Amino acid sequence: MLKKLLVANRGEIAVRIIRAAQDLGIATVAVYSAADAGSLHVQLADEAVNIGPPAAKKSYLNIEAILKAARDTGCDSVHPGYGFLAENAAFSDAVTGAGLVFVGPSGDAIRMMGDKVSARSAAAAAGVPVVPGSAGRVESLGAGRKVLTETGFPVMIKAAAGGGGRGIRIANSLAEFEQAFPQAEAEALAAFGDGGLYMEKVIGKARHIEVQVLADGSDAIHCYERECSLQRRRQKVWEEAPSRALSDELREALCASAVALAKAVKYSGAGTVEYLYDDEADRFYFIEMNTRIQVEHPVTEAITGIDLVAEMLRVAGGERLRIRQGDVSVKGHAIEVRLNAEDPAKEFAPFPGQVAELRIPGGPGVRFDSMLYQGYQVPPFYDSLLAKLIVHAETREAAIMRLIRALNELKIGGLKTTKPLFLALAADPAVRTGDVHTRWLEGWLIENAAALAG
Ligand code: ADP
Ligand code: ADP
Ligand code: MG
């Protein structure tokens, strides 16, 4: 078992990981930037180390500073969380190279699955259907034109290193494509340090469905699926499990393909295989694998009763997977909404500031994962995620009622947040019936702009 863990992250996920470690009796070390000295993860960890100035490049992305903090405090392991260095193969290698345990897959597994182009190839090789598109990276505009015969229009130009909904462009015509391609290349290089692009056919009215896997390097299991079709700018805002769109046969097939893929790359730790599901054609396509814990992992924890972060820590500590596939079963329905410090009335502009008042929802079936406390100053430097509200109930209908109840209990004074968006969505007939797709929310936001402004 691990003895002392450095948590190389901030915000709600750092708090989540510290809690899991403490539940297992593992000592914890937080790292923080100068902007985060007063933050909850620093307060909850056994020790905390300042790793640099506010800019992420100088602190949370600073591999040398993080490794030094781990050495200075006598840690034996590092958990990367999500975002920042979580899918950085060089970081995984550097941690391992320093004689520490990386709580996640090997650098090689990250290189294979974290790069979205090589992940497509690995999926295809494992017999998992991928979206029609380029075979590898598209190295030039000319090569891209050839791929168009495969995809038609509209086509997606995607960054091989993209993530968090960024690095994706859609072209509806050859003229748009020829204009967008070099722009996408320049943007990808600037944003991800890698200008590599690939192309995919646009799957029209698709649902986003993803399968949670847990693996120990030789064995792998799945913990069923989540549906994350409610997205804004290709970023998930509301996630739930199970998906209402899947038949038992399709669920079986999706979960089996995710496990096959995890086994094929000798995956270790927690990971998520993401798919698009076209319910009209009844076809699913692999889009990417996230080689880390995901923001929305709590909905799976709610319906399966499995502590995914604790299982990551056990596997990283050298244990074999304790959970057999036959032990994983689904109970009820869970929904998570992402409460961001953003103003829904002003096109979701970031809204940093001080939490003047805080009332946290509770009661049966309610979980609130957050770094908030009364008086907390939300810094302007990072992701705007403040909290995740997760509700669990016997049925989807009951979960939505519970979500409304918990949102009404929740009070975050002094800040604008995405709470009004979720109250409006929870009341919407299409959301109530689950009749949505990944671009549904975009249209809804245009139609309901007035309601959110008021
Ligand atoms: P999830 O699938 O866990 O919901 P998201 O795609 O929403 O993941 O991303 C989780 C977090 O990681 C977000 O804060 C997002 O901004 C960040 N992130 C993911 N991939 C990247 C990347 N390649 N570069 C920068 N940030 C990323
Ligand atoms: P990221 O790494 O940013 O999460 P993904 O490849 O997972 O990127 O795609 C993010 C979202 O973009 C998907 O959930 C989906 O809504 C949309 N998307 C991605 N690829 C396609 C596609 N080929 N057709 C239609 N929508 C897509
Ligand atoms: Mg994705």
Side-chain angles (χ1 to χ4, degrees):
M1 185 43 95
L2 306 176
K3 291 202 166 59
K4 195 167 184 182
L5 177 75
L6 181 137
V7 181
N9 216 298
R10 64 177 302 282
E12 69 84 21
I13 194 63
V15 170
R16 169 72 185 91
I17 295 162
I18 289 166
R19 286 178 172 149
Q22 291 178 345
D23 283 346
L24 292 172
I26 302 170
T28 51
V29 176
V31 293
Y32 64 97
S33 76
D36 279 340
S39 67
L40 189 61
H41 77 287
V42 171
Q43 296 175 32
L44 296 186
D46 302 313
E47 291 168 58
V49 181
N50 181 331
I51 49 163
K57 273 211 168 101
K58 300 204 162 139
S59 49
Y60 298 107
L61 291 171
N62 184 341
I63 296 180
E64 273 319 305
I66 291 168
L67 288 181
K68 182 176 185 308
R71 276 193 301 268
D72 290 351
T73 53
C75 286
D76 58 9
S77 49
V78 176
H79 195 308
Y82 57 68
F84 295 125
L85 296 167
E87 293 186 274
N88 185 315
F91 183 56
S92 173
D93 285 343
V95 169
T96 313
L100 306 170
V101 173
F102 181 76
V103 185
S106 66
D108 286 342
I110 297 177
R111 258 181 286 275
M112 170 129 49
M113 301 312 290
D115 179 296
K116 297 170 85 180
V117 175
S118 46
R120 258 169 75 82
S121 310
V128 181
V130 299
V131 182
S134 55
R137 291 188 177 217
V138 182
E139 305 286 357
S140 68
L141 190 55
R145 278 195 210 96
K146 288 196 190 113
V147 180
L148 289 173
T149 56
E150 194 77 25
T151 60
F153 291 106
V155 65
M156 265 189 184
I157 309 170
K158 301 173 77 171
R166 282 163 300 163
I168 298 180
R169 279 169 172 254
I170 298 181
N172 292 294
S173 65
L174 186 60
E176 276 184 25
F177 177 75
E178 290 181 337
Q179 192 178 21
F181 192 90
Q183 290 172 354
E185 203 164 22
E187 266 177 24
L189 188 63
F192 312 113
D194 173 359
L197 300 177
Y198 67 111
M199 288 162 62
E200 275 179 7
K201 175 188 166 79
V202 172
I203 307 298
K205 282 195 174 172
R207 289 173 185 268
H208 176 111
I209 293 175
E210 57 187 37
V211 176
Q212 175 71 53
V213 296
L214 273 178
D216 63 9
S218 52
D219 197 13
I221 61 166
H222 68 78
C223 302
Y224 293 95
E225 83 283 0
R226 298 184 281 264
E227 175 160 354
C228 319
S229 298
L230 288 173
Q231 301 181 355
R232 181 176 166 272
R233 298 196 176 156
R234 297 182 195 94
Q235 264 195 311
K236 302 155 188 167
V237 301
W238 162 313
E239 304 104 341
E240 57 185 276
S243 166
R244 294 184 40 137
L246 297 186
S247 64
D248 287 345
E249 291 77 18
L250 187 60
R251 173 169 295 117
E252 194 97 332
L254 268 181
C255 292
S257 84
V259 169
L261 189 54
K263 283 185 176 162
V265 300
K266 297 202 164 44
Y267 195 77
S268 180
T272 301
V273 184
E274 296 193 333
Y275 302 88
L276 290 177
Y277 174 53
D278 176 347
D279 34 4
E280 271 161 38
D282 190 27
R283 295 189 64 169
F284 69 86
Y285 308 89
F286 168 90
I287 45 172
E288 68 158 341
M289 180 168 188
N290 289 320
T291 56
R292 53 171 163 89
I293 192 73
Q294 274 189 303
V295 175
E296 59 273 24
H297 74 277
V299 293
T300 298
E301 296 185 322
I303 61 160
T304 62
I306 295 170
D307 183 328
L308 291 166
V309 180
E311 294 310 321
M312 288 179 92
L313 293 170
R314 287 179 195 279
V315 166
E319 284 182 39
R320 298 294 309 273
L321 269 186
R322 317 177 295 157
I323 306 165
R324 307 260 144 263
Q325 189 64 66
D327 300 336
V328 186
S329 62
V330 170
K331 191 159 174 256
H333 196 95
I335 300 172
E336 172 186 284
V337 295
R338 298 191 191 193
L339 293 149
N340 293 343
E342 294 170 355
D343 185 356
K346 297 214 169 74
E347 293 196 20
F348 296 86
F351 201 100
Q354 189 168 37
V355 179
E357 189 189 353
L358 182 65
R359 188 171 68 201
I360 294 175
V366 175
R367 170 173 167 182
F368 192 71
D369 275 24
S370 170
M371 80 289 219
L372 294 180
Y373 58 84
Q374 195 159 326
Y376 174 63
Q377 185 77 36
V378 179
F381 307 104
Y382 313 105
D383 199 282
S384 58
L385 183 66
L386 294 175
K388 307 181 305 201
L389 172 61
I390 304 104
V391 294
H392 183 216
E394 237 169 89
T395 62
R396 185 171 187 273
E397 291 67 30
I400 292 178
M401 292 305 292
R402 186 159 275 170
L403 175 65
I404 296 169
R405 189 265 288 172
L407 282 168
N408 282 325
E409 272 179 44
L410 170 66
K411 200 170 205 175
I412 304 177
L415 297 178
K416 298 275 186 199
T417 77
T418 44
K419 171 178 148 171
L421 168 70
F422 298 120
L423 277 172
L425 283 176
D428 186 273
V431 174
R432 288 279 177 122
T433 55
D435 190 15
V436 297
H437 55 85
T438 54
R439 284 151 84 186
W440 178 87
L441 181 55
E442 264 166 52
W444 184 95
L445 283 170
I446 294 167
E447 282 167 30
N448 292 274
L452 285 177

